[in-house]
Amino acid sequence: MTVASILKQKPNRLISVGEKDSLADVAAILTRENIGAVTVLDGQGEMVGIVSERDLVRQIAREGAGVLGNSVASVMTKSVVCCTPEDSIEGTMALMTERRFRHLPVRSQGRIIGMISIGDVVKRRVEDAEREAASLRDYIVRG
Ligand code: AMP
């Protein structure tokens, strides 16, 4: 199973912000869209970073709620690790666990085409395990 099979089950859109948007804007988007991270795109649509709820919480803990007026550029992670649609689901799970982040933008032919989260990956693996158990049960019952 590959990342492409997860993307197929998700709405076909990338939720992103600009570097100059405020952290309050990011908090509003994460809440409205019920997600944990957004990609940061420049004026040309190139990805220049990622900002997650964890970045917001850390910054508020360090400097107080006043930081909500600061720009995305002040907290985003610039060096973004991506996956491709052809990558295995097991591989992305191992990568996210090892690097301790829960989001991976998906890059295909130089473009970011979506984002997967650890939640998507775990859901998919549980579904696969349940399907396998059901077919084994079926095999045993039918003999
Ligand atoms: P998360 O666990 O995804 O909320 O993110 C934890 C930290 O890792 C935050 O500082 C994020 O900006 C950063 N981060 C999240 N996803 C990625 C990624 N794919 N590549 C690099 N950094 C990331």
Side-chain angles (χ1 to χ4, degrees):
M1 282 291 174
T2 62
V3 168
S5 69
I6 294 181
L7 285 184
K8 255 187 231 151
Q9 294 181 329
K10 289 176 65 117
N12 193 12
R13 67 202 175 108
L14 179 70
I15 299 163
S16 55
V17 295
E19 282 180 272
K20 290 186 184 149
D21 288 335
S22 71
L23 298 185
D25 294 331
V26 174
I29 292 170
L30 296 181
T31 304
R32 186 184 72 218
E33 302 291 342
N34 200 21
I35 54 175
V38 283
T39 50
V40 186
L41 305 184
D42 67 12
Q44 283 72 49
E46 289 295 318
M47 185 175 61
V48 291
I50 187 166
V51 59
S52 88
E53 55 199 358
R54 190 159 293 181
D55 297 313
L56 262 65
V57 169
R58 278 187 197 137
Q59 204 64 9
I60 292 168
R62 280 189 202 124
E63 295 181 29
V67 297
L68 286 172
N70 293 357
S71 69
V72 164
S74 65
V75 301
M76 70 184 190
T77 301
K78 290 185 183 158
S79 170
V80 185
V81 179
C82 297
C83 63
T84 73
E86 294 77 33
D87 286 340
S88 74
I89 292 175
E90 292 82 357
T92 57
M93 193 170 184
L95 181 64
M96 285 194 255
T97 305
E98 184 190 321
R99 302 291 294 269
R100 294 181 181 273
F101 47 63
R102 297 165 295 176
H103 299 90
L104 274 177
V106 187
R107 191 187 286 281
S108 177
Q109 292 169 352
R111 252 176 6 102
I112 303 300
I113 58 166
M115 173 118 84
I116 60 167
S117 72
I118 192 78
D120 297 324
V121 170
V122 169
K123 178 169 173 277
R124 194 50 200 266
R125 293 207 69 182
V126 168
E127 285 167 2
D128 289 348
E130 282 171 350
R131 203 170 310 121
E132 195 179 327
S135 71
L136 280 174
R137 261 198 307 276
D138 198 40
Y139 175 77
I140 292 162
V141 170
R142 285 179 193 209

